[in-house]
Amino acid sequence: MKDNELVLIDEDGNETLAEILFTFPWEETGKNYVVFTVGEEVSAAVYEEGENASGELFPVETDEEWDKIEEMLAKPCLERDGKPVVTIFGRTSFLSE
């Protein structure tokens, strides 16, 4: 499995490979979010890190959280200290001009 992939397991134990688009923390909720695709469908979940680089996904619970996720999808390039930055696969990088 690649760094930008995760395995989703449904209630029947079926595994589906998803591609991670980006992750982001949201201070207001204290949660970390992962935005990913399964085929052509884009989705998101709350991510709680576990041991050995594993973790657990939980459903996004509120409309406010979905609004923030949609905002992040619409605005993938952010600014920090006036410089463009992008966070992909949990890593923040400054873009060169």
Side-chain angles (χ1 to χ4, degrees):
M1 187 166 65
K2 298 177 186 174
D3 286 345
N4 67 330
E5 295 176 335
L6 59 91
V7 176
L8 305 173
I9 303 172
D10 68 17
E11 59 275 352
D12 296 325
N14 299 315
E15 295 184 358
T16 303
L17 190 63
E19 181 179 353
I20 299 171
L21 297 176
F22 61 92
T23 63
F24 69 96
W26 190 17
E27 289 181 19
E28 189 170 312
T29 62
K31 297 177 182 177
N32 293 305
Y33 299 86
V34 59
V35 180
F36 56 90
T37 59
V38 176
E40 293 187 21
E41 182 180 330
V42 177
S43 193
V46 175
Y47 174 76
E48 289 186 12
E49 193 169 333
E51 295 179 19
N52 302 325
S54 66
E56 197 166 345
L57 298 179
F58 298 92
V60 175
E61 297 175 337
T62 68
D63 289 340
E64 183 180 29
E65 288 176 296
W66 280 115
D67 290 345
K68 182 66 172 182
I69 291 164
E70 288 176 8
E71 175 187 326
M72 296 297 287
L73 277 166
K75 189 171 144 180
C77 188
L78 307 174
E79 286 191 9
R80 182 177 295 159
D81 298 327
K83 295 180 181 179
V85 299
V86 65
T87 301
I88 300 175
F89 315 130
R91 297 181 183 99
T92 301
S93 302
F94 289 90
L95 300 176
S96 57
E97 298 179 349

